[in-house]
Amino acid sequence: MTHIFLLEDDETLGRGVAMALTGPEASVACRSTLAGAREALAAERFDLLVLDVNLPDGSGLELLRQLRAGGDRTPAILLTANDLELDEVTGLEAGADDYITKPFSLAVLRARVNAQLRRGACAAPRALSVGPFTFDFDRMDFRRDGAAVELSKTEQRLLRVLVENRGHTVPRATLVDRVWTDGAEFVEENALSVTVKRLRGKLEADPAKPEYLKTVYGIGYIWEAKP
């Protein structure tokens, strides 16, 4: 079953789009506000995102930027009344896979949705093997020596930044900026340290003597690259 997320502030249009996309092999979860979208995306995993840009409490474009910054690579289509070439370029550079301007044909929307779903189905899942670990961020499947490890969304984002930069020290400020992408203006000073401690407790054989996730005092953290 394909699971599609639709963010559209016009509830009448949203219901019409949801009906057009729902079928025997596809379900649609629809929200009309940015707050509702964040709650839904935190609770479920989707195969495709269809995001309105202009919302009463924010921007679907900014939401997409934040998702991409956090490592989310779910295919995304932007829906917007902004039809300037610059708007389309901005949307695609923010991480959108397609851009549809209003008004649009439901038949065209269905065709573009199906095209993105086919691409997603053809894309091989990329699991990263690092020492005794296997990390599949797209499927949110994390294992050590074959045993599953449950990680929170914040822990997943932190882990992804570290392992994608393994062998290199990542400054604390960079980690805070990349991990806490929900638009919060203030992050507790010890939030990063607490998250690192929790991550070590789940991944390291001996969290008191970490073998992989190491502290570089006065700078930040590093995921130790091993042969």
Side-chain angles (χ1 to χ4, degrees), residues 81-115:
N82 303 331
D83 58 358
L84 297 177
E85 182 179 282
L86 179 59
D87 295 320
E88 183 172 354
V89 170
T90 300
L92 295 172
E93 289 183 342
D97 298 279
D98 201 352
Y99 187 97
I100 300 176
T101 56
K102 300 176 181 178
F104 53 83
S105 158
L106 288 177
V108 170
L109 175 61
R110 276 197 303 267
R112 293 196 178 185
V113 163
N114 289 335

Side-chain angles (χ1 to χ4, degrees), residues 118-188:
R118 285 195 300 272
R119 288 175 189 161
C122 293
R126 296 189 300 167
L128 177 66
S129 294
V130 184
F133 305 103
T134 301
F135 302 137
D136 188 333
F137 292 94
D138 292 332
R139 295 176 179 270
M140 293 186 289
D141 183 65
F142 308 95
R143 296 178 181 273
R144 174 167 183 143
D145 295 323
V149 179
E150 293 293 329
L151 300 180
S152 70
K153 288 290 186 69
T154 301
E155 292 161 357
Q156 291 176 35
R157 290 195 291 266
L158 174 60
L159 176 64
R160 185 163 198 158
V161 175
L162 289 168
V163 298
E164 287 184 349
N165 292 276
R166 56 193 178 281
H168 301 280
T169 300
V170 184
R172 289 182 62 91
T174 300
L175 288 169
V176 170
D177 185 60
R178 293 281 302 276
V179 173
W180 280 270
T181 59
D182 58 0
E185 295 183 3
F186 177 75
V187 177
E188 289 285 347

Side-chain angles (χ1 to χ4, degrees), residues 73-85:
R73 296 294 178 265
T74 305
I77 298 174
L78 290 179
L79 298 180
T80 177
N82 303 331
D83 58 358
L84 297 177
E85 182 179 282

Side-chain angles (χ1 to χ4, degrees), residues 4 6 11-24 26-30 106 109-110:
I4 300 170
L6 172 63
E11 296 190 11
T12 300
L13 176 59
R15 285 194 295 270
V17 171
M19 288 178 62
L21 299 181
T22 300
S27 63
V28 179
C30 188
L106 288 177
L109 175 61
R110 276 197 303 267

Side-chain angles (χ1 to χ4, degrees), residues 5-7 49-53 60 63-64 67 76-80:
F5 177 73
L6 172 63
L7 174 59
L49 310 177
V50 181
L51 307 175
D52 189 13
V53 171
L63 173 63
L64 179 61
L67 291 171
I77 298 174
L78 290 179
L79 298 180
T80 177

